[in-house]
Amino acid sequence: MDDKKKEMIVREIEHWRRSKLLPEHYCDFLLNIYDMHQQDQDKKEQGGLFGVTPSKIRNSNWKIWMLGLLLIIALSFTALNFNAFELPMQIGISIIF
């Protein structure tokens, strides 16, 4: 639905409320239905896991991806070679995490 149409519907419901053309609880009901419809559309637009959509991924910065990849590599290196490190380094890594 177009934004202008949505605004017109809300204004019309508010007009009915002010003019007492409909009882108050009917106007509340209609506005709640409109809000649920709006929330459903927002959820569809948001989508994805934690609000991450394919368009957000495509438009993201490559530097953030490189930083994330380097962080994963560093954590993997640390986890895989933890027993090979000397005791003071193991203690230091344990304190950090």
Side-chain angles (χ1 to χ4, degrees), residues 13-55:
I13 293 171
E14 292 297 331
H15 172 71
W16 293 342
R17 180 183 299 220
R18 284 190 309 271
S19 303
K20 304 214 187 281
L21 295 173
L22 282 177
E24 187 80 21
H25 59 278
Y26 286 167
C27 294
D28 291 338
F29 175 75
L30 291 172
L31 287 174
N32 285 336
I33 288 176
Y34 175 75
D35 286 340
M36 282 191 297
H37 179 68
Q38 183 68 29
Q39 289 172 357
D40 290 342
Q41 284 183 346
D42 291 343
K43 285 181 183 178
K44 286 179 185 176
E45 290 175 1
Q46 185 180 17
L49 183 64
F50 301 116
V52 178
T53 60
S55 63

Side-chain angles (χ1 to χ4, degrees), residues 81-96:
N81 295 314
F82 188 75
N83 288 335
F85 296 148
E86 295 293 328
L87 185 62
M89 189 168 191
Q90 288 181 3
I91 292 172
I93 291 172
S94 298
I95 290 173
I96 289 172

